[in-house]
Amino acid sequence: MKRVIWDELLKWKSSIYRKPLIIRGARQVGKTWLMQEFGRLQYEDTIYLNCDDEPQAATIFANDYDIDRILLQLQAISHIKPKPGKTLIILDEIQNVPRGLAALKYFAEKAPEYHVMVAGSLLGIDMHEGTSFPVGKVDMITLYPMNFREFLMAMDHEDWAELIENRKWDVLSSVEHKLQDLLRQYYYVGGMPEVVENFVKDKNLEQVRHIQLNLLDAYRNDFSKHAPREQVPRINMVMKSIPSQLAKDNKKFIYGVLKPGARAKEYEIAIQWLIDCGIIYKVNCVNDVIAPLSFYENLSSFKIYFLDCGLLAAMAGASSEQMLIGNNAFVGFKGAFTEQYVLQQILSHGISSIYFWTSGASAEVDFIIERNGKVEPIEVKAEANVKAKSLKLLVDKHPGMKGVRYSMSSYKDQDWVTNYPLYSV
């Protein structure tokens, strides 16, 4: 399955400033497959070491960071002699080796001619115990679940994905209904590679849901394994509350939804654990929409979205009938899946400065993003209704600003806003 991050890996390989690459991301988003496939297609040889399965992995870095010795031991385990520029060295699940991350600094300083790629869970890398993080000595890329463009390519519609990428609106209008149907399928299936692969092969909706529920159970098991014992019930409560939080008219996270009288300080650590795992995304409010947005961030007001729209559907118990027939997936649940979908697409394109804006109880704009020093307000509509009073109010307050609206309507460019169809986010 093609991943749009592939181009970033090619840039990394050819860069004269290349450092060991850390691929970050939640569990099961496809990090291992991506590294191995990249090695298979772009290098003569690949040395793959799973630091969780290989019993000798810990001993390689246990005593010192002698790169010549480390390379010899990798050769002894893999029976492949590493060659500069021609062999990709992959260290998977590196968080399971206490000194593994620190070793990357010495590859960067003493052996930059070797191409080294590592991966691990977000939680394992960001909260790595027993060693310092090699700040400034590594490159990093975050891998997210497959976006809708990648889903289209997996479904053998690469031509439509290319039309969307090139904004061929006149041509796309002739297949708009088919794209909307595929979007409904994406809302249900989501972007977890194992789920997508199974759906592409068998089109078995019950099996899709079975895999999704297994993934959710695996995440919960991770919490029990890694999180402080007293935080595990709170982590599970926060995660369980996400569908109901997003199904409110005002999707702002309310602690009282967790339990009556719940307070922020009780659940702050639990929320941060879920963020560190990559299981949830936290979108804070901004009081003004001037770059840099972080200056106007309101840390006490935020929304929480899930890792993947398909997993959200599984956690909410949304049936295939609800998601695939009619427009329930788009307009039901107060448009929760549509906002979730849009955020997921934005993140997958490397945009991480994402907020929302509100003006008391009178107006709210779903997403405010910042890229290349420019602020862009985004309104999300789950139907063909393109009225956007809040967006118009915000744009009118800021001369020169132009809004973006995603809806079920076709492409239309106006003076103050451009409407894009949802399938083209």
Side-chain angles (χ1 to χ4, degrees):
M1 294 185 291
K2 294 184 178 180
R3 303 300 304 266
V4 295
I5 203 174
W6 193 270
D7 290 341
E8 294 300 312
L9 300 185
L10 291 174
K11 291 177 184 177
W12 169 80
K13 182 189 176 187
S14 62
S15 174
I16 61 174
Y17 304 108
R18 184 193 59 258
K19 303 171 186 175
L21 177 66
I22 296 178
I23 299 183
R24 305 163 72 248
R27 289 192 182 277
Q28 303 299 320
V29 294
K31 300 185 295 294
T32 298
W33 176 89
L34 181 67
M35 294 188 299
Q36 291 181 323
E37 187 72 357
F38 190 73
R40 184 179 71 84
L41 295 177
Q42 297 295 324
Y43 291 86
E44 288 184 7
D45 298 301
T46 299
I47 294 176
Y48 176 79
L49 180 67
N50 188 315
C51 298
D52 190 30
D53 289 342
E54 175 53 58
Q56 299 183 72
T59 64
I60 296 177
F61 308 104
N63 298 318
D64 57 49
Y65 297 115
D66 184 325
I67 296 300
D68 289 336
R69 178 190 58 76
I70 290 172
L71 290 170
L72 280 173
Q73 291 191 349
L74 287 172
Q75 182 182 166
I77 293 173
S78 66
H79 305 293
I80 297 172
K81 184 181 186 303
K83 298 183 287 291
K86 296 182 178 181
T87 303
L88 178 62
I89 299 171
I90 299 175
L91 304 175
D92 204 358
E93 300 292 349
I94 196 169
Q95 75 277 359
N96 292 308
V97 179
R99 293 161 59 92
L101 278 175
L104 300 181
K105 170 184 175 182
Y106 298 92
F107 271 104
E109 293 179 345
K110 299 180 179 181
E113 67 273 20
Y114 288 95
H115 293 209
V116 180
M117 192 178 285
V118 309
S121 69
L122 275 169
L123 183 63
I125 289 177
D126 291 349
M127 304 187 70
H128 198 57
E129 297 181 0
T131 186
S132 59
F133 191 87
V135 177
K137 302 298 180 181
V138 293
D139 295 320
M140 287 193 288
I141 292 177
T142 301
L143 184 64
Y144 295 96
M146 296 171 69
N147 62 27
F148 185 57
R149 177 185 168 192
E150 292 168 322
F151 180 77
L152 286 177
M153 291 189 289
M155 294 287 286
D156 201 26
H157 291 299
E158 190 166 355
D159 52 341
W160 292 352
E162 187 174 339
L163 287 172
I164 293 171
E165 185 72 13
N166 294 322
R167 304 185 179 201
K168 302 294 185 181
W169 305 119
D170 291 342
V171 181
L172 286 165
S173 63
S174 63
V175 294
E176 194 164 66
H177 291 299
K178 293 180 180 179
L179 284 166
Q180 290 173 357
D181 194 47
L182 284 163
L183 187 56
R184 291 183 186 90
Q185 295 173 31
Y186 179 77
Y187 277 27
Y188 182 82
V189 175
M192 302 303 283
E194 181 186 0
V195 182
V196 174
E197 183 177 31
N198 185 275
F199 179 70
V200 169
K201 184 171 68 175
D202 293 333
K203 299 294 190 300
N204 187 324
L205 297 177
E206 290 187 6
Q207 180 65 12
V208 162
R209 181 52 53 87
H210 177 72
I211 297 172
Q212 290 169 335
L213 292 174
N214 282 347
L215 287 172
L216 291 171
D217 284 341
Y219 288 139
R220 295 186 188 99
N221 290 337
D222 272 353
F223 305 153
S224 299
K225 180 179 177 182
H226 296 290
R229 184 175 299 177
E230 69 278 6
Q231 292 296 331
V232 172
R234 295 170 186 168
I235 291 171
N236 285 321
M237 288 175 68
V238 171
M239 182 168 156
K240 185 179 179 181
S241 80
I242 293 174
S244 58
Q245 299 275 5
L246 290 177
K248 303 193 309 294
D249 285 322
N250 177 359
K251 293 174 174 56
K252 177 184 170 184
F253 188 86
I254 304 296
Y255 289 98
V257 172
L258 300 174
K259 69 174 186 179
R263 295 173 296 174
K265 67 178 183 179
E266 293 179 79
Y267 292 92
E268 286 174 341
I269 295 175
I271 290 172
Q272 191 59 49
W273 264 86
L274 286 165
I275 293 171
D276 289 339
C277 289
I279 304 299
I280 65 172
Y281 308 125
K282 185 180 180 185
V283 176
N284 286 324
C285 181
V286 285
N287 297 321
D288 207 343
V289 290
I290 302 172
L293 289 170
S294 58
F295 280 17
Y296 304 95
E297 190 172 9
N298 180 355
L299 297 176
S300 65
S301 179
F302 59 90
K303 301 177 185 179
I304 284 181
Y305 297 88
F306 206 56
L307 167 69
D308 174 68
C309 56
L311 293 182
L312 177 64
M315 188 164 57
S319 69
S320 56
E321 181 181 2
Q322 288 176 300
M323 301 294 289
L324 297 176
I325 300 175
N327 283 337
N328 288 336
F330 301 131
V331 303
F333 316 102
K334 307 293 185 181
F337 286 106
T338 300
E339 276 196 36
Q340 166 72 40
Y341 156 75
V342 171
L343 176 72
Q344 214 170 309
Q345 310 314 296
I346 295 172
L347 285 166
S348 74
H349 284 85
I351 299 171
S352 57
S353 183
I354 308 172
Y355 301 88
F356 74 96
W357 172 83
T358 182
S359 175
S362 60
E364 180 177 311
V365 174
D366 300 308
F367 299 114
I368 309 291
I369 67 171
E370 182 181 345
R371 53 177 172 172
N372 302 320
K374 182 182 177 182
V375 173
E376 300 177 30
I378 297 174
E379 185 81 6
V380 176
K381 294 293 185 180
E383 301 180 74
N385 171 22
V386 293
K387 293 181 180 179
K389 294 180 181 179
S390 296
L391 182 60
K392 185 70 165 63
L393 175 66
L394 183 62
V395 169
D396 287 346
K397 285 184 176 181
H398 296 81
M401 177 179 286
K402 188 167 185 175
V404 171
R405 179 177 55 219
Y406 291 111
S407 75
M408 292 293 285
S409 295
S410 302
Y411 172 81
K412 184 178 181 181
D413 192 18
Q414 298 173 254
D415 289 339
W416 65 277
V417 65
T418 302
N419 184 87
Y420 295 97
L422 273 172
Y423 61 76
S424 71
V425 178

